[in-house]
Amino acid sequence: MNIDKMNEVVKPPESVEVVAERFRATVRPLEELRKRGLNPLASHQKLEGGALTPDSFVIANLEPMEREDCPNVLFMAPHGGEYAPENLFERLTEEGQRSTAVIDAGTFFITQSERVPSLATGFSRFCGFDLNRRPPEEAANVAAPGSFIWERTMTGASMYKPGQEPTETEREYLSKKYHARYYKEVGQAVHKLSERRKSGERVLMLDVHAFVDPNSQNASVTSLLKRYLPETDLTALKESNPIFVLSDRKGFSCDDDVKNAFVEALQTNFEALSEREKSLLLEGNASKEVVAVEKWFTAGGYNAEYGDKLRKSGQPWVNALQLEINPTAFVAFDPVGGFENATYNDEKLAIMKRLLEQVVLDVNKSVLSAKGA
């Protein structure tokens, strides 16, 4: 008989109230990195009251739904957050803390529109949880890197200090109080759009992301690409590097005509830009390719899966697309520093914002709100 085992004190599970209090203090990791002399990109976000509570972490812009000409489209930007619980940030390793510099560049700014409703989050995906991954109560993702809680950095090193990983109670709290809350608000926003639509019209959930620069010499970026795309020739990736990559869970989350219309609208509206604007967005792009479908970043994440669930639960008019934007179209990255040292080009960012808004308005007119769709 193991006497030591018998004498071992079993700690009672933490209460939700204890975890909530522990996560009450909020920090902005990107600001902390700037204090260390780094220059990460800004998120362009401002949380109400600066607090990261279940009631405040979702940044909703639903006012466009009050407009008669609001399109049947919902912008979503889950990976542009730069806020985190101070307690969790302090438990990250040095490399883990630096990982918080990796945000989906510009996506929050690009999706803020007076004409298109949107939902975003202030939560950092690397210091807390990832909204575009399945929650722990569901089966783990198999295709996408990382998980609901990123326990490894992009280089594969430990994200948290030894013994400081999120507890089971903390994971459950993040899942039920934050992840579930976000998708509840997504569902409610889609429902509002669905109520506004006329018979035969469809709704599009557009989840906007920004992928990494394959030309980067930063160890985190090159490591991520090798782990995420093990069978892809990185040299070929650098030579064929489109501005946009579209995914729809390989056809499950979106009707083909909606996806095809989106591809066409991206290409058409890009060509409609002035020669100067086109050259600005293509600067540094070796292939000069505008849009690709299911290329490298395939299948989409939990957002597209959620859209697929809505389609299968009696809402076949719902469509979900994941749009990856090449951030080199509007960001200057330090080749070695990567996301830790990067700068927006505000002119390019404004062009991208205007371009994407016009794309969804055109898609809405051509297929979403078209008669007999």
Side-chain angles (χ1 to χ4, degrees):
M1 182 177 294
N2 191 328
I3 302 299
D4 291 336
K5 192 73 175 177
M6 290 179 61
N7 292 330
E8 187 178 282
V9 177
V10 179
K11 293 183 180 179
E14 298 175 298
S15 68
V16 170
E17 291 75 19
V18 168
V19 173
E21 182 61 34
R22 182 182 302 149
F23 287 174
R24 189 174 301 278
T26 301
V27 67
R28 298 180 72 174
L30 303 185
E31 290 297 328
E32 296 303 310
L33 296 182
R34 290 189 185 97
K35 293 175 184 177
R36 303 176 193 180
L38 301 177
N39 185 40
L41 293 165
S43 69
H44 295 104
Q45 292 182 335
K46 186 176 181 180
L47 277 183
E48 185 178 345
L52 196 68
T53 68
D55 293 326
S56 68
F57 86 105
V58 177
I59 305 173
N61 172 32
L62 303 181
E63 290 184 6
M65 289 191 195
E66 304 303 318
R67 297 172 55 123
E68 193 170 330
D69 62 350
C70 175
N72 299 340
V73 178
L74 177 67
F75 276 147
M76 298 158 65
H79 284 167
E82 70 155 299
Y83 293 81
E86 184 175 17
N87 178 276
L88 280 182
F89 184 72
E90 291 176 349
R91 288 154 61 182
L92 297 177
T93 63
E94 173 64 25
E95 185 174 337
Q97 291 184 349
R98 293 168 76 104
S99 295
T100 61
V102 184
I103 63 172
D104 280 19
T107 55
F108 178 77
F109 176 83
I110 291 168
T111 55
Q112 294 303 294
S113 167
E114 293 183 357
R115 302 186 67 181
V116 184
S118 65
L119 288 175
T121 173
F123 226 118
S124 167
R125 69 185 298 197
F126 289 116
C127 187
F129 69 102
D130 193 325
L131 274 167
N132 205 25
R133 300 294 182 269
R134 291 176 186 165
E137 56 267 26
E138 298 185 24
N141 293 78
V142 292
S147 56
F148 176 73
I149 301 285
W150 282 69
E151 297 191 25
R152 296 283 172 182
T153 66
M154 292 195 296
T155 63
S158 294
M159 182 73 77
Y160 289 88
K161 298 171 184 175
Q164 296 295 304
E165 299 84 359
T167 66
E168 289 304 314
T169 305
E170 289 175 335
R171 292 167 193 266
E172 183 178 2
Y173 181 77
L174 291 170
S175 174
K176 294 183 176 179
K177 295 295 184 181
Y178 289 91
H179 191 278
R181 174 64 176 266
Y182 176 77
Y183 281 99
K184 178 182 179 181
E185 296 204 24
V186 169
Q188 290 173 339
V190 170
H191 179 69
K192 287 181 181 178
L193 285 174
S194 297
E195 285 188 320
R196 296 178 76 261
R197 71 187 181 93
K198 297 175 183 176
S199 177
E201 294 185 350
R202 287 172 285 181
V203 171
L204 174 63
M205 297 163 50
L206 184 67
D207 211 53
V208 182
H209 297 257
F211 57 87
V212 296
D213 175 18
N215 294 295
S216 175
Q217 299 170 34
N218 179 265
S220 292
V221 174
T222 54
S223 176
L224 177 66
L225 289 171
K226 289 176 182 177
R227 291 170 61 209
Y228 189 14
L229 307 169
E231 299 178 3
T232 300
D233 181 348
L234 294 187
T235 301
L237 181 63
K238 294 176 181 179
E239 294 175 351
S240 180
N241 191 17
I243 299 177
F244 304 102
V245 177
L246 207 60
S247 301
D248 65 348
R249 298 199 75 227
K250 300 185 178 179
F252 286 100
S253 68
C254 187
D255 297 332
D256 284 344
D257 64 327
V258 174
K259 177 176 64 177
N260 294 338
F262 200 95
V263 171
E264 182 179 349
L266 277 172
Q267 191 72 53
T268 300
N269 280 282
F270 178 83
E271 293 302 330
L273 295 174
S274 69
E275 290 303 316
R276 181 176 183 278
E277 289 173 329
K278 284 188 284 189
S279 65
L280 282 173
L281 295 186
L282 285 171
E283 194 174 11
N285 188 318
S287 67
K288 309 304 179 188
E289 187 177 5
V290 177
V291 58
V293 178
E294 301 289 2
K295 189 173 187 178
W296 308 310
F297 301 92
T298 61
Y302 190 77
N303 58 80
E305 188 174 325
Y306 182 79
D308 191 23
K309 288 179 180 179
L310 294 180
R311 288 164 66 86
K312 292 175 178 176
S313 64
Q315 302 179 65
W317 57 84
V318 174
N319 291 266
L321 287 172
Q322 179 165 315
L323 179 68
E324 295 277 357
I325 303 177
N326 187 337
T328 57
F330 48 82
V331 174
F333 290 102
D334 181 283
V336 177
F339 280 86
E340 295 170 4
N341 287 291
T343 307
Y344 284 118
N345 182 304
D346 292 337
E347 181 183 7
K348 294 181 180 182
L349 195 57
I351 295 170
M352 182 63 72
K353 179 186 177 80
R354 175 165 47 88
L355 172 64
L356 188 57
E357 179 180 83
Q358 190 58 52
V359 166
V360 299
L361 293 175
D362 286 356
V363 171
N364 181 69
K365 183 178 180 180
S366 65
V367 293
L368 296 178
S369 62
K371 271 190 174 182

